[in-house]
Structures are given as structure tokens and as C-alpha cells.
Amino acid sequence: MNFDLMAALDKLEASKPELVVVGDLILDEYVIGYPERISREAPVLILEHKETFYRLGGAANAALNAAKLGARVTLVGFLGEDFAGEQVASICAQAGIELITCKPNGYQTALKTRILANNQSQSLSYSGTNSAQQVLRVDRLPALSSLSQEVRLELANLIDPKKTLLFSAYGLGVCERELVQAALVARPERIVIADPSNDFAVFAGAQHFTPNQPDTEKALGRQIDFSSSEDLQKTWAELRGLCGVKSEFLITRGAEGMLLLADNLAQAIPAFNLAEVFDVSGAGDTVSACFALCLAAGLSSLEAAIISNTAASLVVRKAGTASTSIGEIRGQLGGLDYSFLH
């Protein structure tokens, strides 16, 4: 198999694609402190607070990844009239992301708080490979009952039907059937990518899917034997039965890399730089965003998959939900061994 990934990356960079990301908007909060002592009240660690900072999570992280790769990005979802919603809007504005939202009465913006303990001899910044360790996560999630069918359809009407669309679903109530199908009906000829978290059939009609292995196996109701060509053919048929016969699937497998099922192709792509993994948070968002941009730029699914895998190999070296750039990807591709291709 002979193709030029550097030329493909140049094409991606030159195209500056437009992307609409629709999904669950999450604010990630990181609270870092030094271990001080064990509490006298209970056998728990006391941290001396040193730093708190915020990053985009969920669909918002996918949008940020796309923006960092040079795309013109519109992010569509629900926000609450609360501190987390204000932070999401502020970070999006700083990143040049156009934010289109509905704000239902009583809606609470999803907030995930990670408590990290850091050795006093190390830098406090959680932006590189230091010794900060996550000791607790607290999730404050919106109530799905607060989202009516009417408000979802209202949001669907705000989606530009002329641009490539990425659904980034985290199961928090945005990417439900009525919204997704309304958006799909309005864009029959446009590229649509879905990164589903549960019911794949909700996204039936999308051409491309980027699920992880656990969610894929849950959707199929069985484990996949990735070493068996017969089982991969069966998986391909079952997934297309769920999502449409024209659909392609890029299944992310963590330390095992990825599998691309497309046009009777079952191509395994190994994880790159596995020994340098530091934090896998948000790596799936990087994959879906990069894959969507590559397709919007006219690259093949295989080119898009390898470039997306390379992008993911870079963000897992970084702490927290992170992003990468075209320059970093180009540097990584230069030393890539293509022997895995068949």
C-alpha cells in the first residue's frame, strides 16, 4: 500500500475545514494540592490547596482539538446559567470557537472535578509529565429530565446543514434520537461523524463512527475477537446493520491501538509511543475531531485513521484533557513505521 501521509497532512493544513461539533458540553476542573498529613477526623489525606484551573471536556474538548488543528469550529449544545457554563463560554471565546447554545431553565452545566496530589519537589503545573496523581473525581451532571423533546429540536434547528458535522455523545442528554435524526435529515449529502457512547442506532445515517471498544462490544452484546478475520467480518456486518450499510467504523482500543472497518477493509493500527503514555483523558475526543477534519479535507478513511492515531499518541503524553497541533503530528509522522499496513 503506497500513499504519502505528509502530503495528506499538507492537504489537511491547507484546507482549513469547517466543522460543527454537537454534543454534551463539560467543564473539567482540576484541583491540585500538596499532601500535608492524615486527618485526625478520619483516615483520609489532607491536601494543602495550591492551584485550581479549568479545561474543556466532552464535546467541548473535541471542538478545542479541532480548533487547535486549524479548523473553523462551531460548537452546539446546552449550557446552564452557572459558573461552569461561564467558564466553558470563556475558554471557547479564547480559542476562537463559535459557541451556539440553548440554556434551558434549571439546566446545570456538567462539571467534573478532579482532585490531584502533587509531590512538593515537583512543579505544580499539571501541563506536563510530572508526579501529580488523581486521588478523587467528583461529577456534577445535568438532570436529563430537564431536556424536553421541544428544546432538543430547537437546538437541532441551530445546526448549520452545510458543514461537516461531528456528534460527540457522553450520554448527558444532548445527542438523543429526535435531535440527531432532525440534524441528519437536514444534511443528506454532508459528511457526518458520530462518536457514540451507548445506542449506536440513534446515529443511523451517519457515514462514519469513532466508538471505543467497550462501547462497541456493549452495542453488539458480545466481545470481539480482533485476531479473527471471520469475527471481524461478522462485526462489520453487525455494525452496519445497526448504523446503516454505508457506515464506516474506527474503533479505538486504548493500548491496542485502533481498528478501521471500511469498504471490506479491516485494518489494525497499533498504538504509537505506548511507553510514553501519561494521561489518556480526552484522547477519544482528539481522535474523533482529527478524523472528522481529515475527512472534511478530502483524505481517505485510512489516511484519516493513521493521522488521528498519531494525534492521539501525542495528547496521551500530556496531562489532563489536551490537544495537539499539525506541527507536532508532522514531526511524529516523520518517524512512523508503516509495516503494520497490509
Side-chain angles (χ1 to χ4, degrees):
M1 190 174 294
N2 183 25
F3 55 88
D4 188 343
L5 282 178
M6 287 300 187
L9 198 60
D10 290 340
K11 185 177 180 180
L12 169 61
E13 186 172 29
S15 69
K16 298 188 182 301
E18 294 184 280
L19 179 67
V20 177
V21 180
V22 179
D24 300 299
L25 311 186
I26 300 172
L27 180 68
D28 286 340
E29 178 182 44
Y30 293 85
V31 179
I32 303 179
Y34 290 144
E36 186 184 55
R37 59 186 171 85
I38 301 299
S39 172
R40 296 189 182 93
E41 301 171 358
V44 296
L45 183 66
I46 294 177
L47 298 180
E48 179 185 352
H49 176 260
K50 291 298 181 182
E51 182 181 7
T52 297
F53 62 91
Y54 302 93
R55 289 184 180 171
L56 298 178
N61 183 44
L64 181 62
N65 271 267
K68 294 293 186 180
L69 291 171
R72 290 166 287 179
V73 184
T74 302
L75 176 61
V76 181
F78 295 113
L79 279 184
E81 296 280 4
D82 49 25
F83 173 79
E86 293 173 357
Q87 288 295 313
V88 169
S90 175
I91 299 172
C92 284
Q94 293 172 24
I97 298 170
E98 180 185 10
L99 184 60
I100 298 177
T101 63
C102 288
K103 296 184 177 181
N105 289 334
Y107 184 82
Q108 176 184 6
T109 306
L111 175 63
K112 296 183 178 180
T113 301
R114 293 169 174 87
I115 312 297
L116 298 108
N118 205 35
N119 189 311
Q120 293 194 38
S121 66
Q122 300 290 327
S123 168
L124 272 174
S125 176
Y126 192 54
S127 59
T129 53
N130 56 35
S131 62
Q133 297 293 321
Q134 186 175 159
V135 297
L136 181 66
R137 193 178 99 179
V138 179
D139 289 356
R140 283 160 280 189
L141 304 179
L144 301 187
S145 60
S146 66
L147 297 176
S148 66
Q149 179 175 341
E150 289 74 21
V151 77
R152 290 194 182 96
L153 290 176
E154 179 185 348
L155 190 66
N157 291 331
L158 299 176
I159 300 171
D160 189 330
K162 300 183 295 296
K163 299 177 182 178
T164 298
L165 173 60
L166 168 62
F167 288 112
S168 179
Y170 274 74
L172 300 183
V174 175
C175 295
E176 298 296 326
R177 188 178 301 274
E178 56 267 21
L179 181 149
V180 171
Q181 291 304 313
L184 288 173
V185 167
R187 53 193 316 112
E189 303 301 324
R190 297 293 170 178
I191 298 172
V192 179
I193 302 93
D195 186 15
S197 61
N198 40 49
D199 188 355
F200 287 25
V202 165
F203 303 93
Q207 303 102 324
H208 308 275
F209 289 74
T210 60
N212 61 39
Q213 179 180 339
D215 287 340
T216 304
E217 292 178 333
K218 182 178 180 181
L220 295 176
R222 66 176 182 85
Q223 290 187 323
I224 302 169
D225 183 355
F226 288 89
S227 65
S228 166
S229 58
E230 291 79 8
D231 195 63
L232 293 182
Q233 290 178 2
K234 179 182 177 183
T235 298
W236 169 236
E238 290 175 345
L239 288 173
R240 292 201 302 170
L242 283 173
C243 305
V245 295
K246 295 183 179 180
S247 298
E248 300 178 344
F249 300 86
L250 180 63
I251 303 173
T252 57
R253 304 184 59 211
E256 299 299 322
M258 301 177 176
L259 175 73
L260 176 64
L261 294 174
D263 295 329
N264 296 316
L265 172 69
Q267 174 65 63
I269 304 170
F272 304 146
N273 301 310
L274 189 58
E276 299 180 46
V277 172
F278 178 67
D279 190 335
V280 299
S281 301
D285 300 326
T286 301
V287 170
S288 62
C290 187
F291 192 66
L293 296 186
C294 289
L295 295 174
L299 305 189
S300 71
S301 295
L302 183 55
E303 290 171 326
I306 296 174
I307 291 173
S308 300
N309 193 37
T310 306
S313 76
L314 290 164
V315 300
V316 296
R317 301 182 194 180
K318 305 175 183 180
T321 48
S323 57
T324 187
S325 66
I326 294 288
E328 286 183 322
I329 295 173
R330 182 176 284 110
Q332 190 66 28
L333 281 177
L336 194 62
D337 178 4
Y338 299 103
S339 61
F340 61 87
L341 294 172
H342 57 70

